[in-house]
């Protein structure tokens, strides 16, 4: 019998101290592939755009090629979903248990920030990110830890060695050692670690020449709580290469 309350306390303590958790087979590969196929179609048939994080913002997709509006330099295609919008997959309902776990580990009510109205200047946000072969990367950085979260769970949507061969997600531990997470992950696995741990995405298959619209490369999904654009009480993510 698992004591859920004590398990959450243990996870919170360990993550706060820099430990990392990998939860296996959280999502079936079939559903992952359906989401990837749908988003690829959306991207091929509509113009990318950008919207600030604010109440009522639409779901959207954007291209980030070292976009100066981003706190962390990177190159990826991002698809953003908010809890007040509907989508074909009903993502916030489908993944509510991930947000519940994230919130409880962060020491807040399990359903906070995933309702249709922002709370305390923050909102839940699901972001699917595609890193194309030969181009995709994200600089080493730290994300803010505050009243809104201590961890940002990420779901693996591609398999290293099959969808791409080199690069991928990594963390830098307290000893300064680089740990390549993707070497340990399969499609559908969920990763949780301290948001303040330096982490990034090493360039995917550097030297490859692929079109953005081929959608060959690395996919992932992030379950975050983000501050609204006018919330100045929470710090920004910090690019450690800037």
């Amino acid at each position: 019998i698992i004591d859920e309350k004590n398990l959450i306390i243990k996870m919170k303590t360990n993550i706060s101290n820099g430990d990392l958790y990998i939860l296996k087979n959280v999502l079936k590969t079939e559903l992952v592939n359906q989401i990837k196929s749908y988003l690829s179609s959306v991207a091929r048939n509509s113009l990318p755009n950008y919207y600030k994080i604010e109440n009522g913002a639409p779901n959207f997709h954007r291209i980030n090629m070292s976009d100066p509006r981003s706190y962390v330099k990177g190159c990826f295609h991002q698809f953003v979903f908010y809890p007040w919008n509907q989508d074909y997959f009903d993502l916030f309902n489908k993944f509510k248990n991930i947000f519940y776990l994230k919130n409880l580990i962060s020491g807040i009510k399990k359903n906070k920030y995933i309702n249709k109205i922002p709370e305390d200047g923050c909102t839940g946000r699901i972001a699917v990110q595609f890193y194309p072969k030969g181009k995709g990367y994200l600089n080493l950085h730290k994300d803010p830890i505050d009243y809104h979260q201590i961890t940002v769970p990420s779901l693996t949507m591609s398999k290293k060695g099959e969808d791409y061969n080199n690069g991928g997600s990594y963390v830098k531990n307290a000893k300064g050692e680089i740990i390549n997470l993707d070497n340990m992950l399969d499609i559908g696995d969920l990763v949780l670690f301290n948001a303040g741990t330096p982490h990034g995405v090493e360039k995917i298959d550097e030297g490859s020449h692929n079109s953005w619209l081929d959608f060959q490369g690395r996919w992932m999904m992030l379950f975050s709580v983000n501050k609204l654009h006018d919330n100045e009480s929470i710090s920004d993510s910090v690019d450690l290469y800037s």
Side-chain angles (χ1 to χ4, degrees):
I1 298 175
I2 298 175
D3 186 328
E4 293 184 2
K5 183 177 180 180
N6 286 336
L7 177 60
I8 292 296
I9 293 172
K10 182 178 180 180
M11 291 182 71
K12 179 180 180 180
T13 299
N14 290 343
I15 288 174
S16 296
N17 290 334
D19 288 347
L20 180 148
Y21 283 85
I22 296 175
L23 308 184
K24 304 295 289 185
N25 302 313
V26 171
L27 196 65
K28 293 185 181 298
T29 300
E30 180 181 4
L31 179 56
V32 171
N33 289 336
Q34 288 175 356
I35 293 172
K36 288 160 59 175
S37 177
Y38 168 70
L39 295 181
S40 299
S41 177
V42 168
R44 292 188 182 105
N45 292 282
S46 62
L47 291 173
N49 214 325
Y50 173 85
Y51 295 91
K52 293 183 291 188
I53 301 175
E54 59 185 355
N55 187 20
N59 296 339
F60 67 96
H61 70 102
R62 64 182 284 220
I63 296 289
N64 183 342
M65 292 184 284
S66 302
D67 191 328
R69 292 168 294 192
S70 297
Y71 300 122
V72 181
K73 185 178 179 182
C75 182
F76 52 88
H77 198 145
Q78 184 181 66
F79 304 82
V80 173
F81 299 86
Y82 292 108
W84 49 76
N85 297 319
Q86 294 184 324
D87 64 84
Y88 290 116
F89 294 96
D90 196 14
L91 291 176
F92 276 87
N93 184 53
K94 190 175 298 295
F95 295 124
K96 63 184 178 183
N97 287 335
I98 294 177
F99 276 101
Y100 289 171
L101 177 62
K102 165 191 172 68
N103 284 340
L104 291 173
I105 289 172
S106 299
I108 55 183
K109 293 181 179 179
K110 69 177 187 179
N111 63 345
K112 196 171 179 66
Y113 302 125
I114 56 174
N115 300 301
K116 297 186 182 302
I117 298 175
E119 301 175 76
D120 299 335
C122 297
T123 181
R125 190 175 77 141
I126 293 174
V128 179
Q129 296 186 177
F130 166 70
Y131 297 84
K133 287 185 177 183
K135 304 179 183 69
Y137 76 96
L138 184 64
N139 272 359
L140 186 71
H141 67 283
K142 294 181 178 182
D143 291 318
I145 296 174
D146 212 301
Y147 62 82
H148 66 312
Q149 65 184 15
I150 67 169
T151 184
V152 183
S154 63
L155 183 81
T156 304
M157 301 178 71
S158 300
K159 175 64 176 173
K160 188 172 183 178
E162 297 178 8
D163 298 303
Y164 63 97
N165 294 308
N166 298 298
S169 179
Y170 67 94
V171 297
K172 188 175 183 180
N173 66 20
K175 297 179 181 179
E177 300 167 333
I178 298 296
I179 301 172
N180 191 303
L181 299 179
D182 288 4
N183 292 339
M184 302 182 283
L185 299 172
D186 293 304
I187 292 175
D189 292 350
L190 189 74
V191 182
L192 301 96
F193 57 85
N194 189 309
T197 298
H199 59 284
V201 177
E202 184 181 10
K203 184 169 285 189
I204 304 300
D205 285 352
E206 187 168 9
S208 291
H209 300 284
N210 291 81
S211 165
W212 280 92
L213 296 180
D214 289 342
F215 285 98
Q216 299 296 310
R218 179 182 183 271
W219 290 79
M220 68 182 297
M221 185 183 296
L222 295 167
F223 303 90
S224 62
V225 172
N226 292 113
K227 64 177 183 175
L228 302 184
H229 77 97
D230 58 355
N231 181 350
E232 297 180 354
S233 64
I234 296 174
S235 61
D236 301 326
S237 295
V238 178
D239 190 323
L240 298 176
Y241 287 162
S242 294

